[in-house]
Amino acid sequence: MVECPGRSPTAYCLHTLFLDDHDDRAWKAATVADRLGLETDAVSSIRSRLKERVLVRHKRPYWAITDDKERLQDAYQLHRYHERADEQYGAERLEELRPDEMEDVQ
């Protein structure tokens, strides 16, 4: 079983793992939100991002994890890479970026 990395798992990770662990059926956003203790709006936002990455299937009003297990494993691997980079180098803080001080790249 895949686990969410870090001490405080993200709602995105918890939601994805929930769908993966319960891949035998499809779920309504409100049901998942209730089971995970999340806001329904948060679950809807997460599902939109998962849909963009083709990690969920959707037939209104139900959602299920993709049948493409290789794609799903690739997504988990990418998430682990990002978590390790954050641990090693620190998380990016967009408010600290100063694009006006950066050189143009051609």
Side-chain angles (χ1 to χ4, degrees), residues 22-68:
H22 300 89
D23 64 351
D24 57 327
R25 60 180 286 202
W27 299 85
K28 290 184 177 181
T31 305
V32 173
D34 186 52
R35 293 245 185 137
L36 296 176
L38 301 171
E39 296 291 325
T40 303
D41 289 344
V43 169
S44 295
S45 174
I46 292 166
R47 288 186 173 186
S48 294
R49 291 186 301 180
L50 290 171
K51 186 175 180 183
E52 288 172 6
R53 296 179 66 194
V54 194
L55 294 172
V56 290
R57 294 174 284 129
H58 180 222
K59 187 167 186 181
R60 207 166 242 174
Y62 298 98
W63 295 77
I65 201 72
T66 181
D67 287 332
D68 187 342

Side-chain angles (χ1 to χ4, degrees), residues 92-105:
E92 280 186 325
R93 290 181 178 74
L94 295 178
E95 65 276 1
E96 293 176 6
L97 293 177
R98 301 202 191 317
D100 52 321
E101 296 175 7
M102 295 180 182
E103 294 180 29
D104 289 334
V105 177

Side-chain angles (χ1 to χ4, degrees), residues 66-83:
T66 181
D67 287 332
D68 187 342
K69 295 303 179 186
E70 184 176 336
R71 184 177 194 82
L72 187 59
Q73 288 305 315
D74 289 346
Y76 284 136
Q77 185 67 38
L78 180 61
H79 184 73
R80 283 191 293 274
Y81 288 151
H82 286 202
E83 289 292 321

